[in-house]
mmCIF file of all heavy atoms in Angstrom:
data_model
loop_
_atom_site.group_PDB
_atom_site.id
_atom_site.type_symbol
_atom_site.label_atom_id
_atom_site.label_comp_id
_atom_site.label_asym_id
_atom_site.label_seq_id
_atom_site.Cartn_x
_atom_site.Cartn_y
_atom_site.Cartn_z
ATOM 1 N N GLY H 913 6.246 2.519 -18.234
ATOM 2 C CA GLY H 913 6.869 2.400 -16.920
ATOM 3 C C GLY H 913 6.043 3.002 -15.798
ATOM 4 O O GLY H 913 6.371 2.797 -14.628
ATOM 5 N N GLY H 914 5.010 3.737 -16.142
ATOM 6 C CA GLY H 914 4.165 4.367 -15.148
ATOM 7 C C GLY H 914 3.111 3.436 -14.586
ATOM 8 O O GLY H 914 3.079 2.256 -14.891
ATOM 9 N N SER H 915 2.237 4.019 -13.746
ATOM 10 C CA SER H 915 1.217 3.236 -13.058
ATOM 11 C C SER H 915 -0.153 3.920 -13.182
ATOM 12 O O SER H 915 -0.238 5.142 -13.311
ATOM 13 C CB SER H 915 1.560 3.105 -11.574
ATOM 14 O OG SER H 915 2.780 2.418 -11.391
ATOM 15 N N LEU H 916 -1.161 3.104 -13.113
ATOM 16 C CA LEU H 916 -2.546 3.561 -13.025
ATOM 17 C C LEU H 916 -3.300 2.606 -12.119
ATOM 18 O O LEU H 916 -2.948 1.417 -12.027
ATOM 19 C CB LEU H 916 -3.227 3.590 -14.388
ATOM 20 C CG LEU H 916 -2.891 4.720 -15.365
ATOM 21 C CD1 LEU H 916 -3.558 4.481 -16.706
ATOM 22 C CD2 LEU H 916 -3.312 6.066 -14.810
ATOM 23 N N ARG H 917 -4.358 3.105 -11.484
ATOM 24 C CA ARG H 917 -5.231 2.252 -10.666
ATOM 25 C C ARG H 917 -6.656 2.407 -11.191
ATOM 26 O O ARG H 917 -7.229 3.502 -11.118
ATOM 27 C CB ARG H 917 -5.161 2.653 -9.203
ATOM 28 C CG ARG H 917 -5.909 1.680 -8.283
ATOM 29 C CD ARG H 917 -6.082 2.255 -6.913
ATOM 30 N NE ARG H 917 -6.481 1.262 -5.937
ATOM 31 C CZ ARG H 917 -7.156 1.543 -4.831
ATOM 32 N NH1 ARG H 917 -7.509 2.795 -4.581
ATOM 33 N NH2 ARG H 917 -7.479 0.572 -3.972
ATOM 34 N N LEU H 918 -7.194 1.337 -11.684
ATOM 35 C CA LEU H 918 -8.572 1.323 -12.159
ATOM 36 C C LEU H 918 -9.506 0.898 -11.029
ATOM 37 O O LEU H 918 -9.139 0.064 -10.197
ATOM 38 C CB LEU H 918 -8.737 0.371 -13.340
ATOM 39 C CG LEU H 918 -7.828 0.597 -14.547
ATOM 40 C CD1 LEU H 918 -8.207 -0.380 -15.649
ATOM 41 C CD2 LEU H 918 -7.881 2.010 -15.033
ATOM 42 N N SER H 919 -10.703 1.464 -11.033
ATOM 43 C CA SER H 919 -11.748 1.071 -10.083
ATOM 44 C C SER H 919 -12.990 0.648 -10.860
ATOM 45 O O SER H 919 -13.250 1.149 -11.947
ATOM 46 C CB SER H 919 -12.108 2.240 -9.160
ATOM 47 O OG SER H 919 -11.004 2.646 -8.386
ATOM 48 N N CYS H 920 -13.741 -0.255 -10.278
ATOM 49 C CA CYS H 920 -15.004 -0.702 -10.838
ATOM 50 C C CYS H 920 -16.026 -0.673 -9.715
ATOM 51 O O CYS H 920 -15.984 -1.520 -8.814
ATOM 52 C CB CYS H 920 -14.869 -2.096 -11.417
ATOM 53 S SG CYS H 920 -16.440 -2.833 -11.937
ATOM 54 N N ALA H 921 -16.917 0.294 -9.745
ATOM 55 C CA ALA H 921 -17.917 0.454 -8.690
ATOM 56 C C ALA H 921 -19.231 -0.147 -9.163
ATOM 57 O O ALA H 921 -19.748 0.207 -10.230
ATOM 58 C CB ALA H 921 -18.082 1.920 -8.355
ATOM 59 N N ALA H 922 -19.782 -1.025 -8.344
ATOM 60 C CA ALA H 922 -21.049 -1.678 -8.676
ATOM 61 C C ALA H 922 -22.193 -1.021 -7.898
ATOM 62 O O ALA H 922 -22.024 -0.586 -6.757
ATOM 63 C CB ALA H 922 -20.976 -3.152 -8.331
ATOM 64 N N SER H 923 -23.331 -0.949 -8.553
ATOM 65 C CA SER H 923 -24.527 -0.438 -7.908
ATOM 66 C C SER H 923 -25.730 -1.234 -8.379
ATOM 67 O O SER H 923 -25.675 -1.903 -9.402
ATOM 68 C CB SER H 923 -24.712 1.047 -8.214
ATOM 69 O OG SER H 923 -24.878 1.256 -9.596
ATOM 70 N N GLY H 924 -26.808 -1.188 -7.646
ATOM 71 C CA GLY H 924 -28.023 -1.886 -8.011
ATOM 72 C C GLY H 924 -28.145 -3.276 -7.380
ATOM 73 O O GLY H 924 -29.241 -3.814 -7.294
ATOM 74 N N ARG H 925 -27.044 -3.853 -7.013
ATOM 75 C CA ARG H 925 -27.006 -5.120 -6.284
ATOM 76 C C ARG H 925 -25.596 -5.291 -5.739
ATOM 77 O O ARG H 925 -24.655 -4.683 -6.224
ATOM 78 C CB ARG H 925 -27.417 -6.327 -7.124
ATOM 79 C CG ARG H 925 -26.509 -6.592 -8.318
ATOM 80 C CD ARG H 925 -26.628 -8.005 -8.822
ATOM 81 N NE ARG H 925 -25.935 -8.975 -7.965
ATOM 82 C CZ ARG H 925 -25.924 -10.268 -8.122
ATOM 83 N NH1 ARG H 925 -26.666 -10.794 -9.100
ATOM 84 N NH2 ARG H 925 -25.252 -11.079 -7.336
ATOM 85 N N THR H 926 -25.465 -6.172 -4.760
ATOM 86 C CA THR H 926 -24.167 -6.468 -4.216
ATOM 87 C C THR H 926 -23.549 -7.654 -4.963
ATOM 88 O O THR H 926 -24.242 -8.576 -5.355
ATOM 89 C CB THR H 926 -24.231 -6.761 -2.707
ATOM 90 O OG1 THR H 926 -22.913 -7.084 -2.255
ATOM 91 C CG2 THR H 926 -25.150 -7.937 -2.440
ATOM 92 N N PHE H 927 -22.220 -7.574 -5.129
ATOM 93 C CA PHE H 927 -21.502 -8.679 -5.777
ATOM 94 C C PHE H 927 -20.518 -9.321 -4.792
ATOM 95 O O PHE H 927 -19.540 -9.945 -5.203
ATOM 96 C CB PHE H 927 -20.747 -8.161 -7.008
ATOM 97 C CG PHE H 927 -21.647 -7.827 -8.143
ATOM 98 C CD1 PHE H 927 -21.993 -6.523 -8.450
ATOM 99 C CD2 PHE H 927 -22.209 -8.829 -8.932
ATOM 100 C CE1 PHE H 927 -22.839 -6.200 -9.497
ATOM 101 C CE2 PHE H 927 -23.051 -8.543 -9.979
ATOM 102 C CZ PHE H 927 -23.367 -7.222 -10.267
ATOM 103 N N SER H 928 -20.796 -9.199 -3.511
ATOM 104 C CA SER H 928 -19.865 -9.721 -2.501
ATOM 105 C C SER H 928 -19.745 -11.240 -2.525
ATOM 106 O O SER H 928 -18.812 -11.784 -1.961
ATOM 107 C CB SER H 928 -20.270 -9.235 -1.107
ATOM 108 O OG SER H 928 -21.586 -9.662 -0.815
ATOM 109 N N SER H 929 -20.686 -11.948 -3.137
ATOM 110 C CA SER H 929 -20.613 -13.399 -3.240
ATOM 111 C C SER H 929 -20.247 -13.871 -4.659
ATOM 112 O O SER H 929 -20.352 -15.049 -4.968
ATOM 113 C CB SER H 929 -21.950 -14.014 -2.842
ATOM 114 O OG SER H 929 -22.986 -13.556 -3.686
ATOM 115 N N ASN H 930 -19.789 -12.945 -5.480
ATOM 116 C CA ASN H 930 -19.563 -13.247 -6.898
ATOM 117 C C ASN H 930 -18.140 -12.941 -7.340
ATOM 118 O O ASN H 930 -17.544 -11.938 -6.906
ATOM 119 C CB ASN H 930 -20.528 -12.440 -7.758
ATOM 120 C CG ASN H 930 -21.974 -12.655 -7.371
ATOM 121 O OD1 ASN H 930 -22.527 -11.909 -6.564
ATOM 122 N ND2 ASN H 930 -22.573 -13.692 -7.919
ATOM 123 N N ALA H 931 -17.635 -13.765 -8.255
ATOM 124 C CA ALA H 931 -16.356 -13.466 -8.877
ATOM 125 C C ALA H 931 -16.505 -12.269 -9.817
ATOM 126 O O ALA H 931 -17.566 -12.029 -10.384
ATOM 127 C CB ALA H 931 -15.857 -14.675 -9.654
ATOM 128 N N MET H 932 -15.411 -11.558 -9.954
ATOM 129 C CA MET H 932 -15.373 -10.413 -10.869
ATOM 130 C C MET H 932 -14.063 -10.476 -11.638
ATOM 131 O O MET H 932 -13.141 -11.191 -11.283
ATOM 132 C CB MET H 932 -15.487 -9.095 -10.096
ATOM 133 C CG MET H 932 -16.800 -8.973 -9.332
ATOM 134 S SD MET H 932 -16.999 -7.380 -8.513
ATOM 135 C CE MET H 932 -17.345 -6.319 -9.909
ATOM 136 N N ALA H 933 -13.999 -9.698 -12.702
ATOM 137 C CA ALA H 933 -12.831 -9.798 -13.581
ATOM 138 C C ALA H 933 -12.602 -8.500 -14.348
ATOM 139 O O ALA H 933 -13.502 -7.659 -14.449
ATOM 140 C CB ALA H 933 -12.988 -10.945 -14.557
ATOM 141 N N TRP H 934 -11.401 -8.378 -14.858
ATOM 142 C CA TRP H 934 -11.044 -7.310 -15.788
ATOM 143 C C TRP H 934 -10.707 -7.948 -17.136
ATOM 144 O O TRP H 934 -9.989 -8.959 -17.196
ATOM 145 C CB TRP H 934 -9.835 -6.518 -15.280
ATOM 146 C CG TRP H 934 -10.114 -5.666 -14.093
ATOM 147 C CD1 TRP H 934 -9.910 -5.980 -12.787
ATOM 148 C CD2 TRP H 934 -10.686 -4.352 -14.103
ATOM 149 N NE1 TRP H 934 -10.288 -4.950 -11.971
ATOM 150 C CE2 TRP H 934 -10.765 -3.919 -12.767
ATOM 151 C CE3 TRP H 934 -11.096 -3.479 -15.110
ATOM 152 C CZ2 TRP H 934 -11.250 -2.667 -12.397
ATOM 153 C CZ3 TRP H 934 -11.596 -2.238 -14.749
ATOM 154 C CH2 TRP H 934 -11.679 -1.845 -13.417
ATOM 155 N N PHE H 935 -11.195 -7.325 -18.192
ATOM 156 C CA PHE H 935 -10.845 -7.676 -19.556
ATOM 157 C C PHE H 935 -10.381 -6.409 -20.257
ATOM 158 O O PHE H 935 -10.596 -5.309 -19.756
ATOM 159 C CB PHE H 935 -12.055 -8.264 -20.281
ATOM 160 C CG PHE H 935 -12.480 -9.614 -19.795
ATOM 161 C CD1 PHE H 935 -13.267 -9.759 -18.637
ATOM 162 C CD2 PHE H 935 -12.102 -10.762 -20.465
ATOM 163 C CE1 PHE H 935 -13.635 -10.998 -18.175
ATOM 164 C CE2 PHE H 935 -12.473 -12.027 -19.990
ATOM 165 C CZ PHE H 935 -13.243 -12.133 -18.865
ATOM 166 N N ARG H 936 -9.757 -6.570 -21.402
ATOM 167 C CA ARG H 936 -9.368 -5.404 -22.177
ATOM 168 C C ARG H 936 -9.492 -5.685 -23.670
ATOM 169 O O ARG H 936 -9.450 -6.846 -24.099
ATOM 170 C CB ARG H 936 -7.935 -4.983 -21.841
ATOM 171 C CG ARG H 936 -6.844 -5.967 -22.261
ATOM 172 C CD ARG H 936 -5.494 -5.500 -21.724
ATOM 173 N NE ARG H 936 -4.415 -6.402 -22.161
ATOM 174 C CZ ARG H 936 -3.156 -6.290 -21.733
ATOM 175 N NH1 ARG H 936 -2.807 -5.327 -20.887
ATOM 176 N NH2 ARG H 936 -2.224 -7.133 -22.179
ATOM 177 N N GLN H 937 -9.654 -4.620 -24.423
ATOM 178 C CA GLN H 937 -9.754 -4.741 -25.873
ATOM 179 C C GLN H 937 -8.969 -3.618 -26.522
ATOM 180 O O GLN H 937 -9.290 -2.448 -26.330
ATOM 181 C CB GLN H 937 -11.211 -4.712 -26.315
ATOM 182 C CG GLN H 937 -11.388 -5.017 -27.794
ATOM 183 C CD GLN H 937 -12.811 -5.297 -28.166
ATOM 184 O OE1 GLN H 937 -13.754 -4.959 -27.431
ATOM 185 N NE2 GLN H 937 -13.027 -5.945 -29.306
ATOM 186 N N ALA H 938 -7.954 -4.006 -27.275
ATOM 187 C CA ALA H 938 -7.153 -3.043 -28.036
ATOM 188 C C ALA H 938 -7.767 -2.863 -29.419
ATOM 189 O O ALA H 938 -8.496 -3.740 -29.896
ATOM 190 C CB ALA H 938 -5.720 -3.540 -28.142
ATOM 191 N N PRO H 939 -7.482 -1.760 -30.084
ATOM 192 C CA PRO H 939 -8.039 -1.518 -31.416
ATOM 193 C C PRO H 939 -7.692 -2.656 -32.373
ATOM 194 O O PRO H 939 -6.534 -3.066 -32.475
ATOM 195 C CB PRO H 939 -7.368 -0.201 -31.834
ATOM 196 C CG PRO H 939 -7.043 0.480 -30.567
ATOM 197 C CD PRO H 939 -6.690 -0.614 -29.596
ATOM 198 N N GLY H 940 -8.700 -3.160 -33.060
ATOM 199 C CA GLY H 940 -8.484 -4.205 -34.046
ATOM 200 C C GLY H 940 -8.257 -5.587 -33.463
ATOM 201 O O GLY H 940 -7.978 -6.532 -34.201
ATOM 202 N N LYS H 941 -8.393 -5.715 -32.158
ATOM 203 C CA LYS H 941 -8.164 -7.010 -31.509
ATOM 204 C C LYS H 941 -9.406 -7.474 -30.752
ATOM 205 O O LYS H 941 -10.280 -6.667 -30.437
ATOM 206 C CB LYS H 941 -6.979 -6.943 -30.567
ATOM 207 C CG LYS H 941 -5.655 -6.666 -31.264
ATOM 208 C CD LYS H 941 -4.491 -6.789 -30.304
ATOM 209 C CE LYS H 941 -3.160 -6.593 -30.998
ATOM 210 N NZ LYS H 941 -2.007 -6.744 -30.059
#
């Protein structure tokens, strides 16, 4: 029921013209 906010900071190049995404992996999956 709680909340979290994840961040993804990019460095080394800009991704302002690129799609980005979040994926996840649970144990054994």
Side-chain angles (χ1 to χ4, degrees):
S915 298
L916 284 173
R917 188 193 194 206
L918 305 184
S919 298
C920 172
S923 62
R925 63 159 284 176
T926 178
F927 288 102
S928 59
S929 60
N930 304 93
M932 299 184 74
W934 290 96
F935 291 81
R936 67 187 182 186
Q937 187 167 18
K941 296 187 177 181

